[in-house]
Amino acid sequence: MKLALYMFVLSAFLFSASAQYANPNAYDVINATGTITVDGNMNEAAWNMVPATLVFGPNFKSTVTNLSVTGGASVKVDSLHGFDTTYTYLKVIKQGMKLYIGFTSMDKQVCKFGDSWEGDGLFMKIKNAANEDKEYKLYFNANGLNQPMIFENQAPGMGVGVKSPGTTTNDTTNIDSGYTAEMVIYLDSLGYTPATKSVQVLFNIFDPDYYHAGMLPWGTYGSYYKTWWGSEWGPGMKKLVFMDDPGNLTVLSTGGNLTIDGILNEPVWNMNFEHLLFGPGAVGDQYAKTVTGGTQVKTDSLGRTDTTFTHLKILHNGMKLYIGFYSNDKSVCKFGDSWEGEGVFLKIKNSANVDKEYKLYFNANGLNQPMIFENQAPGMGVGVKGSGTTTNDTTNIDNGYSAEMVIYLDSLGYTTSSTNVPIMINVFDPDFYQAGMVPWGPLGAFNKTWWGSEWGPTFRTLTLSPTILPVELTSFTANVVKEGVQLTWTTASEKNNQMFEVQRKSNNDFITIGTVNGKGTTAERTVYTFMDKDVNAGITYSYRLKQIDYDGSVDYSNIVTASGIAPREFALGQNYPNPFNPTSKINFSLPVKANVSLQVYNLLGQVVMTLANGQMEAGTYTFDVNASNLSSGIYVYQINANDGLGNKFTSSKKMVVLK
């Protein structure tokens, strides 16, 4: 989480002091469970599950879960009372296409800014899918004594605010006790879809104090402070990132055993299938699913950030549960002298519903220590530092790490008929710690992200599937060689793969030119080749693969092309047209690079024209003959080619100039 120093301009109506702000660029929005009623009370359990809160107010210092925002300004100061230092706590959750925003304030003076339009509460902008700003306001903006909160919106939504007991708005005769408020925005009305991963917003919290009904905003009394995340009115925006938080993850079968060496070099690890993505502000995709949430445990006093993303994949082979993960971390270390360090902490429930812990992390003291595996039930784990990574060292930039572990499910009481395994996973990411540093000193940062909950009791579910990873074609290329076009393709794994049909495009349709048998079912990497010898020079060919399973189902590869095909042999063609006046063309072919001489002779053996003389690449060539300066008669043209390897070619043909 980045710390920044913001200064505000001193003017007739604006003063400020410098302060440090957490100011996150992105805020992770978790998925809500259960029914949420927009009544302003924020009493649903989902609000208590939010891992981090944005805090608005003057000079607020961030904590582990309460994050100060971009900045703020004192618009007006009360000459008698000063101002009422109020902090407003804002949370965001999501459920389907509904975006919920809840905020609570302990304000002692709830009112509007005199007779202006601004009043206690929230002003926000959100970008729609067309990148247009839409405004929403949920604030105390009604004139008169003890008025309710008002919701104003430029797109569909709903908002309600509730005054806490003892709060009387627009009244300076009593001390208030704040308010709570809730708003819902319908993301589909803004053009977003369920596949949307993030939206841009800005939040602005207004906090006027000491105003009663009928007061002017700029009179002697009354103060006004506002704080924002992004910028006050724009254009600066921040990002809400929607966590996928899948409640269930389908675990596919590898079709074979994996080697636990931490390298993740088996082809199955590189295949595309649904897995988990950990890290602050991580944006997932079709396969990488962002997790429940996270928190910035500690920020670095120098403002340094190392936004690390960790991809974690899970596979199984019978009763062996494989977990592989890799990180792009630039600062691999442990959290000072605490027990937490880079890597994974997880709990898995055994068949008797008892939690068992596994840890695979950099938790050893000292410089450049290895990964450690700790387990409360049988298993094995290994980690490998990336090239250039030196743990517990801040003098170099690291290159992450990879790791893998195996958990023996039968030792936890599961059987081959078991399908669901409860699990929670936590990824630690401390940064900027060197050997011997204390965890809570001024330097060093610590972020953690989890699927389920940080330590429990919330778990997610692994569903063990008998489905073996399907045929995964990782490459398909076409290369021109002397014999023709060589096709090469590689599979990371195969399931029920009977064969490949090699197809070539002809007259806008693909036809099968050969077949190659598949390997059936395997988790091993396999390389296939096929040579197409029936090709001609000067033509571009297109190829594809038709993969056929034993059950008859088929799949097609992408299309690859080959051009620049060399002739198979030396050749000299007959000039055309012949006889001619005054121009004609001569073709010849070279299967390899050669020194070439192409000359025209009269019947006396004298050279009357040189068309080519020098080294030429393999290919087919055409030269123009202009006989404007030649008399009518019979001439001979001859080619001499030498590839420098002992291969020589000489050929002659007659041509007739007729004027």
Side-chain angles (χ1 to χ4, degrees):
M1 208 64 67
K2 190 173 184 178
L3 296 174
L5 188 65
Y6 289 82
M7 301 297 294
F8 298 98
V9 178
L10 179 67
S11 68
F13 304 112
L14 185 65
F15 83 93
S16 65
S18 62
Q20 287 186 321
Y21 294 95
N23 188 25
N25 289 320
Y27 178 94
D28 291 342
V29 179
I30 68 169
N31 282 325
T33 57
T35 301
I36 299 177
T37 303
V38 180
D39 55 14
N41 290 308
M42 292 186 69
N43 54 2
E44 292 85 2
W47 291 114
N48 296 323
M49 298 299 295
V50 176
T53 304
L54 296 175
V55 184
F56 296 76
N59 302 321
F60 180 83
K61 297 295 189 294
S62 287
T63 65
V64 171
T65 57
N66 293 325
L67 309 176
S68 56
V69 292
T70 306
S74 186
V75 179
K76 181 177 181 294
V77 179
D78 185 282
S79 60
L80 180 63
H81 305 95
F83 59 88
D84 171 16
T85 302
T86 297
Y87 298 121
T88 300
Y89 299 81
L90 184 145
K91 299 179 178 181
V92 186
I93 55 180
K94 180 177 177 286
Q95 190 173 67
M97 297 306 295
K98 295 178 181 178
L99 185 69
Y100 295 94
I101 299 166
F103 52 102
T104 181
S105 169
M106 297 304 296
D107 195 7
K108 304 302 181 184
Q109 287 288 323
V110 181
C111 53
K112 65 175 296 187
F113 181 36
D115 57 6
S116 79
W117 68 273
E118 296 170 297
D120 265 303
L122 173 68
F123 165 86
M124 68 167 288
K125 290 182 180 180
I126 185 170
K127 294 274 189 188
N128 66 12
N131 202 40
E132 300 167 332
D133 292 351
K134 296 296 180 182
E135 294 182 2
Y136 295 81
K137 307 183 188 77
L138 183 55
Y139 57 170
F140 292 99
N141 188 43
N143 292 313
L145 181 64
N146 204 22
Q147 295 299 307
M149 224 171 194
I150 291 176
F151 178 65
E152 299 176 0
N153 50 309
Q154 291 185 344
M158 181 171 64
V160 177
V162 174
K163 292 173 285 186
S164 300
T167 293
T168 304
T169 60
N170 301 328
D171 173 40
T172 56
T173 64
N174 73 316
I175 297 176
D176 296 325
S177 56
Y179 60 89
T180 59
E182 291 175 302
M183 174 196 308
V184 62
I185 295 173
Y186 302 106
L187 293 171
D188 51 355
S189 72
L190 297 174
Y192 294 111
T193 70
T196 299
K197 297 297 184 181
S198 64
V199 297
Q200 295 184 72
V201 298
L202 69 83
F203 294 135
N204 197 330
I205 294 292
F206 301 147
D207 179 27
D209 295 310
Y210 309 112
Y211 283 92
H212 59 70
M215 277 181 64
L216 296 174
W218 298 103
T220 303
Y221 300 114
S223 65
Y224 184 19
Y225 197 93
K226 61 175 67 173
T227 324
W228 50 80
W229 185 51
S231 56
E232 185 179 8
W233 308 114
M237 302 287 253
K238 296 293 188 178
K239 184 182 293 185
L240 299 179
V241 178
F242 303 143
M243 308 304 285
D244 297 305
D245 190 21
N248 175 286
L249 188 70
T250 299
V251 179
L252 301 175
S253 172
T254 64
N257 289 326
L258 303 180
T259 301
I260 305 302
D261 54 14
I263 301 175
L264 299 176
N265 58 351
E266 291 89 355
V268 291
W269 289 123
N270 295 319
M271 292 176 61
N272 289 322
F273 56 91
E274 285 195 358
H275 63 279
L276 303 174
L277 175 61
F278 294 79
V283 178
D285 56 30
Q286 178 183 356
Y287 300 108
K289 303 302 177 183
T290 50
V291 292
T292 307
T295 186
Q296 186 75 23
V297 177
K298 182 179 180 294
T299 56
D300 182 78
S301 62
L302 295 181
R304 294 175 296 178
T305 60
D306 174 14
T307 302
T308 297
F309 300 127
T310 301
H311 290 261
L312 185 144
K313 296 184 175 183
I314 307 177
L315 297 166
H316 81 100
N317 181 37
M319 290 286 93
K320 295 178 181 178
L321 185 70
Y322 297 104
I323 299 174
F325 54 100
Y326 56 93
S327 167
N328 65 345
D329 196 10
K330 303 302 181 187
S331 181
V332 181
C333 53
K334 64 176 297 188
F335 181 36
D337 56 9
S338 79
W339 69 271
E340 295 170 299
E342 300 276 356
V344 164
F345 164 87
L346 70 85
K347 290 182 179 180
I348 189 168
K349 288 190 178 290
N350 66 13
S351 61
N353 202 40
V354 177
D355 295 355
K356 297 295 181 180
E357 295 182 2
Y358 296 81
K359 308 181 189 78
L360 183 54
Y361 57 172
F362 291 99
N363 188 42
N365 291 313
L367 181 64
N368 203 23
Q369 296 298 305
M371 224 171 193
I372 292 175
F373 179 66
E374 299 175 0
N375 50 310
Q376 291 184 344
M380 182 170 64
V382 177
V384 174
K385 291 173 285 189
S387 175
T389 292
T390 305
T391 60
N392 301 327
D393 171 45
T394 57
T395 63
N396 72 314
I397 297 176
D398 294 326
N399 189 31
Y401 61 90
S402 61
E404 53 191 336
M405 77 169 76
V406 60
I407 296 174
Y408 302 107
L409 294 175
D410 51 357
S411 71
L412 298 174
Y414 293 102
T415 68
T416 54
S417 62
S418 301
T419 55
N420 294 326
V421 178
I423 193 170
M424 57 137 289
I425 302 175
N426 196 329
V427 172
F428 301 146
D429 177 27
D431 294 311
F432 314 117
Y433 284 92
Q434 64 191 34
M437 277 179 62
V438 296
W440 297 103
L443 302 180
F446 186 19
N447 187 281
K448 59 177 67 172
T449 323
W450 53 80
W451 186 49
S453 56
E454 184 179 8
W455 307 116
T458 304
F459 278 67
R460 296 295 186 249
T461 302
L462 300 179
T463 298
L464 306 179
S465 171
T467 302
I468 299 173
L469 287 164
V471 175
E472 177 82 357
L473 189 69
T474 57
S475 67
F476 178 36
T477 60
N479 294 298
V480 176
V481 295
K482 184 176 181 180
E483 295 82 2
V485 176
Q486 180 172 290
L487 303 174
T488 305
W489 63 98
T490 304
T491 60
S493 68
E494 299 177 28
K495 176 191 173 185
N496 298 325
N497 181 24
Q498 180 183 10
M499 71 172 68
F500 295 95
E501 288 186 3
V502 181
Q503 298 186 336
R504 188 177 67 195
K505 197 169 189 179
S506 175
N507 297 324
N508 295 321
D509 291 322
F510 279 95
I511 60 172
T512 299
I513 60 174
T515 61
V516 178
N517 290 333
K519 291 294 182 68
T521 297
T522 179
E524 299 298 322
R525 178 175 179 268
T526 305
V527 179
Y528 296 90
T529 61
F530 179 87
M531 182 69 69
D532 182 13
K533 297 182 178 180
D534 187 21
V535 292
N536 295 311
I539 299 176
T540 298
Y541 292 94
S542 298
Y543 300 90
R544 73 179 182 187
L545 300 174
K546 179 181 179 181
Q547 186 266 317
I548 305 174
D549 286 346
Y550 283 110
D551 62 5
S553 58
V554 301
D555 196 10
Y556 292 92
S557 73
N558 59 309
I559 298 172
V560 296
T561 60
S563 59
I565 298 171
R568 296 182 182 177
E569 58 186 15
F570 290 100
L572 178 65
Q574 181 64 56
N575 69 301
Y576 182 84
N578 191 39
F580 66 96
N581 180 31
T583 60
S584 184
K585 294 181 181 296
I586 298 174
N587 297 321
F588 63 87
S589 299
L590 305 175
V592 293
K593 181 191 294 187
N595 287 311
V596 177
S597 170
L598 178 62
Q599 295 179 310
V600 179
Y601 298 84
N602 60 24
L603 293 180
L604 297 176
Q606 298 171 322
V607 176
V608 296
M609 190 179 302
T610 298
L611 300 176
N613 187 26
Q615 191 174 77
M616 303 178 70
E617 298 292 333
T620 298
Y621 296 88
T622 300
F623 282 85
D624 292 325
V625 179
N626 190 330
S628 300
N629 296 326
L630 298 180
S631 304
S632 296
I634 299 174
Y635 294 85
V636 176
Y637 59 94
Q638 179 177 289
I639 186 171
N640 290 285
N642 186 341
D643 65 3
L645 299 175
N647 299 309
K648 298 181 180 180
F649 172 71
T650 300
S651 180
S652 302
K653 293 185 181 295
K654 293 180 180 179
M655 65 181 185
V656 178
V657 178
L658 186 61
K659 293 186 175 181

